[in-house]
């Protein structure tokens, strides 16, 4: 415990124990009279928080309550999350964090991270010195350019880095002190925010690509200098910016993009298990994407990397993957394709009809990342089911109303043949007396664990191989019994146990690839365990 005393101690979230300060501590730290007389256990404090949460009328109010709790008492906050991670992750992160971001300027209380704005150009190295922790290991950084499915939210996007890093700790027990949320404020094109008197960001339009890239370069250089062991986790950037910047930095510094690599990894985890059910190999599949934005391209690249590990060349792997976007099938006559999309534009009949594309390309796997709900119609699902004994259909767009098809439609129209996952959690579906359990491809199985592996090994770079190791580790924690029910991911309630195993496997891969900046210990498991944060009051 540090030297804080009295009210200052009670106001420090890292040191505060509130009613759990014992009598001796109260006397030693000048707390006598500043707390009610009863000395409580952490368990009792957790009970009170759960009671108070139960009195909140909606998820946003619960979010605000938990944010306040994190500001008051960090240990208690994480102890509350640990009582039911699957429940609380939906509050501190997706979907409630989306509502919180929309309201950010209105519900704002404390900064909880750093705001680096274009006004500070040329001074970022100095500004980073203002952060009180010297050994930051992961920065999660967003420009607020594309927040979840909500578009450009500018500085309101800060809710995302904050929530994402809380998940590092809640899921994979990364020490909160080594994590730093950052909002790179480059303005916003969102008129509503620009006209909102409570908006907290720069009131200017977004910069040109060249200006943005120069600002990001300055940020990257400043981070390298101030926090040399730090990994930069890019999150919720506009799709084209996300792909371009990841390509620029992935082999240069320790960084990754969860929307691209994390989403790719969790999807590959689902596909590994789908292959166990359909008794196929990933390298033999034909994949069709509906949606070719950053999620589509990210997942396509990750599947291609996974296919390469099964023996295909880069060209062979990419030939097995096609994409379809708002303008139809990606093929060489299209003039509107980005450099990231071009490798997947294979010679084919141009079409804007998804069913026609399915019938021509005969995919075994159909993945929806289009943001458009209901687009996997009865005809689409029937076309997939006619071609495949067990069609793999992932409808990953979220929130719920954006899912390309519901679990019920997938099972109903495929007559129970579909191996299905969504980006959101659908309830089990019963058809003709048989119950199907839809899976949710949730990135939280992957990025906190990979984050822990990066922290533990001080990884120099974070290439796709690490995310594929994480995918495999996650997939392999699903039991045969669960697979028999069509379940593709581990129980969400087990996320902490699952993340530990995934972190260890990912760290082992980092050592194997020679990317660790520390010597390999005898036991990687022991290394990871030794670093794990526990939400308890230390002696
Ligand atoms: P984006 O906006 O970059 O890309 C959307 C793509 O869909 C574009 O290629 C666009 O042309 C295409 N599209 C739009 N309307 C279409 C239509 N009517 N027909 C065919 N294609 C159409 O979005 P991004 O970042 O790629 O995300 C896509 C979706 O994936 C979002 O809903 C997001 O929430 C979801 N997602 C899910 C994740 C998960 O489940 N773990 C993780 C990341 C994203």
């Amino acid at each position: 415990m540090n030297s804080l005393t009295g009210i200052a101690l009670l106001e420090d979230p890292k040191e505060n124990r509130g009613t759990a300060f014992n009598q001796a501590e109260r006397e030693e730290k000048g707390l006598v009279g500043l707390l009610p007389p009863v000395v409580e256990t952490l368990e009792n404090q957790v009970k009170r928080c759960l009671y108070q949460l139960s009195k909140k009328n909606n998820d946003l109010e619960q979010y605000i309550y938990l944010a306040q709790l994190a500001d008051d008492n960090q240990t208690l906050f994480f102890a509350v999350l640990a009582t039911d991670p699957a429940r609380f992750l939906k509050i501190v992160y997706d979907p409630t964090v989306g509502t919180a971001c929309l309201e950010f300027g209105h519900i704002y209380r404390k900064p909880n991270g750093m705001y680096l704005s274009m006004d500070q150009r040329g001074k970022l190295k100095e500004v980073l010195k203002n952060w009180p922790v010297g050994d930051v290991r992961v920065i999660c950084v967003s420009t607020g350019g594309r927040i979840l499915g909500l578009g450009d939210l500018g500085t309101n996007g800060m809710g995302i880095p904050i929530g994402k890093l809380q998940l590092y700790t809640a899921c994979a027990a990364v020490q909160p002190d080594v994590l730093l949320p950052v909002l790179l404020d480059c303005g916003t094109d969102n008129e509503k925010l620009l006209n909102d008197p409570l908006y907290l960001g720069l009131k200017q339009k977004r910069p040109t690509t060249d200006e943005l890239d120069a600002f990001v370069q300055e940020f990257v250089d400043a981070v390298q200098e101030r926090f040399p062991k730090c990994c930069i986790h890019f999150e919720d950037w506009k799709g084209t910016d996300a792909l371009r910047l990841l390509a620029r930095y992935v082999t240069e510094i320790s960084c990754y993009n969860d929307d691209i690599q994390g989403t790719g990894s969790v999807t590959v985890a689902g596909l590994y298990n789908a292959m166990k059910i359909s008794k196929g190999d990933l390298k033999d599949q034909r994949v069709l994407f509906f949606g070719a934005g950053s999620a589509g391209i990210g997942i396509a690249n990750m599947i291609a990397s996974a296919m390469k590990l099964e023996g295909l060349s880069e060209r062979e792997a990419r030939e097995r993957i096609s994409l379809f976007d708002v303008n139809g099938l990606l093929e060489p006559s299209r003039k509107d394709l980005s450099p990231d999309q071009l490798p997947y534009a294979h010679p084919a009949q141009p079409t804007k009809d998804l069913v026609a594309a399915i019938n021509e390309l005969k995919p075994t796997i159909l993945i929806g990342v289009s943001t458009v709900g209901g687009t996997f119609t009865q005809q689409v699902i029937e076309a997939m089911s006619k071609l495949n004994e067990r069609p793999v259909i992932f409808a990953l767009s979220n929130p719920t109303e954006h899912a390309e098809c519901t679990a019920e439609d997938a099972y109903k129209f495929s007559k129970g043949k579909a191996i299905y996952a969504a980006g959101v959690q659908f309830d089990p579906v019963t058809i003709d007396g048989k119950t199907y359990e839809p899976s949710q491809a949730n990135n939280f199985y992957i990025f906190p664990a990979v984050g822990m592996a990066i922290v533990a090994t001080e990884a120099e770079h974070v290439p796709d191989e690490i995310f594929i190791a994480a995918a495999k580790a996650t997939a392999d924690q699903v039991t045969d019994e669960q697979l028999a029910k069509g379940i593709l991911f581990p129980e969400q309630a087990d996320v902490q146990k699952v993340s530990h195993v995934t972190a260890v496997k990912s760290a082992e891969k980092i050592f194997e690839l020679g990317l660790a900046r520390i010597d390999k210990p005898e036991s990687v498991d022991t290394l990871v365990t030794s670093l794990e944060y526990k939400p308890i009051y230390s002696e």
Side-chain angles (χ1 to χ4, degrees):
M1 205 177 282
N2 70 17
S3 56
L4 291 174
T5 57
I7 293 288
L9 177 56
L10 297 180
E11 286 179 347
D12 184 296
K14 292 185 199 312
E15 302 297 335
N16 183 22
R17 301 175 182 200
T19 52
F21 279 115
N22 64 31
Q23 214 50 50
E25 288 161 346
R26 291 175 187 213
E27 276 163 34
E28 189 195 334
K29 298 284 177 186
L31 297 171
V32 178
L34 298 181
L35 292 162
V38 169
V39 173
E40 289 192 298
T41 59
L42 179 61
E43 290 69 33
N44 228 42
Q45 292 181 310
V46 168
K47 267 189 210 153
R48 180 176 300 101
C49 294
L50 293 176
Y51 169 77
Q52 291 174 351
L53 273 165
S54 75
K55 298 290 169 201
K56 300 292 166 199
N57 289 330
N58 58 48
D59 290 349
L60 181 60
E61 283 191 21
Q62 294 201 15
Y63 175 93
I64 294 169
Y65 176 88
L66 287 169
Q68 180 78 49
L69 183 61
D71 286 342
D72 283 348
N73 182 333
Q74 181 177 276
T75 308
L76 184 54
F77 168 73
F78 284 113
V80 168
L81 297 197
T83 60
D84 191 351
R87 169 185 164 198
F88 288 117
L89 300 187
K90 294 189 184 88
I91 306 290
V92 298
Y93 201 64
D94 200 18
T96 311
V97 74
T99 320
C101 285
L102 288 171
E103 298 289 327
F104 187 80
H106 296 239
I107 63 173
Y108 174 87
R109 288 174 197 216
K110 279 193 173 178
N112 298 114
M114 293 199 82
Y115 299 75
L116 306 177
S117 78
M118 290 196 89
D119 277 0
Q120 300 151 3
R121 261 179 293 189
K123 298 182 218 143
L124 288 189
K125 281 182 189 165
E126 280 307 303
V127 175
L128 276 186
K129 287 185 189 155
N130 290 339
W131 189 249
V133 179
D135 191 16
V136 169
R137 298 300 190 85
V138 182
I139 284 175
C140 181
V141 60
S142 183
T143 53
R146 191 238 58 182
I147 294 302
L148 305 169
L150 304 167
D152 179 358
L153 293 189
T155 289
N156 283 17
M158 183 54 150
I160 298 295
I162 293 170
K164 213 90 197 195
L165 292 178
Q166 286 171 340
L167 262 57
Y168 274 59
T169 305
C171 297
V174 179
Q175 297 286 340
D177 289 1
V178 302
L179 306 173
L180 169 56
V182 171
L183 194 288
L184 270 195
D185 191 341
C186 308
T188 178
D189 292 337
N190 185 327
E191 291 293 339
K192 196 169 161 221
L193 294 177
L194 290 173
N195 292 318
D196 180 350
L198 293 186
Y199 179 60
L200 289 162
L202 280 188
K203 297 216 168 180
Q204 64 187 44
K205 294 274 186 182
R206 287 192 177 271
T208 63
T209 301
D210 285 349
E211 285 169 330
L212 173 71
D213 287 3
F215 187 49
V216 173
Q217 185 63 53
E218 186 189 340
F219 167 69
V220 165
D221 290 341
V223 170
Q224 301 305 299
E225 188 173 302
R226 168 86 169 113
F227 309 117
K229 295 176 181 172
C230 184
C231 173
I232 298 177
H233 163 171
F234 293 102
E235 184 69 32
D236 279 4
W237 291 53
K238 203 175 81 190
T240 43
D241 294 338
L243 287 160
R244 185 183 69 257
L245 292 167
L246 181 65
R248 170 170 309 170
Y249 292 113
V250 74
T251 54
E252 227 178 76
I253 59 167
S254 182
C255 74
Y256 75 95
N257 183 310
D258 181 57
D259 304 306
I260 299 172
Q261 291 162 291
T263 303
S265 176
V266 78
T267 309
V268 167
L271 292 178
Y272 278 145
N273 278 341
M275 294 301 101
K276 289 179 196 162
I277 295 170
S278 69
K279 314 237 179 303
D281 287 326
L282 193 57
K283 69 173 172 29
D284 300 325
Q285 307 306 305
R286 287 179 303 280
V287 189
L288 177 59
F289 280 87
F290 187 67
S294 58
I297 296 291
I299 301 168
N301 290 345
M302 194 63 70
I303 293 175
S305 295
M307 285 176 163
K308 274 162 60 185
L309 291 178
E310 291 184 6
L312 299 191
S313 67
E314 175 97 20
R315 192 180 51 81
E316 288 166 335
R318 289 188 159 173
E319 274 173 5
R320 305 197 75 81
I321 301 170
S322 297
L323 295 100
F324 192 105
D325 73 1
V326 70
N327 295 320
L329 185 65
L330 272 57
E331 42 76 27
S333 76
R334 290 266 302 261
K335 297 287 171 258
D336 58 339
L337 303 184
S338 69
D340 306 298
Q341 294 172 325
L342 279 173
Y344 298 104
H346 312 303
Q349 196 60 33
T351 179
K352 292 188 173 190
D353 177 352
L354 179 60
V355 174
I358 291 172
N359 287 330
E360 179 175 343
L361 301 170
K362 303 193 173 24
T364 55
I365 297 170
L366 177 65
I367 298 177
V369 270
S370 66
T371 71
V372 190
T375 35
F376 290 174
T377 58
Q378 180 167 356
Q379 291 77 9
V380 167
I381 295 165
E382 284 176 355
M384 284 298 291
S385 308
K386 215 180 270 173
L387 290 166
N388 300 290
E389 187 50 40
R390 298 298 307 267
V392 178
I393 299 177
F394 286 3
L396 298 183
S397 288
N398 54 55
T400 308
E401 57 277 17
H402 291 192
E404 284 76 7
C405 64
T406 62
E408 186 172 358
D409 284 354
Y411 295 123
K412 193 169 65 187
F413 299 140
S414 70
K415 300 199 167 40
K417 287 170 29 170
I419 301 174
Y420 175 84
V424 295
Q425 185 64 60
F426 282 104
D427 290 334
V429 177
T430 303
I431 300 172
D432 297 335
K434 186 164 179 205
T435 300
Y436 300 89
E437 299 205 35
S439 300
Q440 184 191 11
N442 195 320
N443 293 28
F444 76 41
Y445 291 113
I446 303 293
F447 72 84
V450 170
M452 171 54 106
I454 292 167
V455 170
T457 60
E458 297 176 19
E460 220 172 332
H461 305 296
V462 197
D464 284 358
E465 284 96 320
I466 296 166
F467 284 93
I468 291 170
K472 187 155 188 335
T474 304
D476 286 348
Q477 293 179 77
V478 175
T479 63
D480 289 345
E481 213 181 2
Q482 289 170 318
L483 286 175
K485 292 185 194 159
I487 297 172
L488 302 178
F489 299 97
E491 280 281 338
Q492 293 196 357
D494 293 339
V495 66
Q496 292 161 316
K497 215 171 64 194
V498 170
S499 295
H500 172 83
V501 174
T502 303
V504 172
K505 298 282 182 199
S506 307
E508 280 170 349
K509 180 55 77 176
I510 293 169
F511 282 115
E512 186 190 316
L513 295 171
L515 294 174
R517 282 182 279 187
I518 61 164
D519 291 335
K520 187 172 180 197
E522 214 163 277
S523 161
V524 177
D525 196 326
T526 307
L527 169 69
V528 170
T529 305
S530 72
L531 295 171
E532 283 173 348
Y533 170 82
K534 293 185 183 53
I536 50 172
Y537 298 126
S538 52
E539 286 310 309

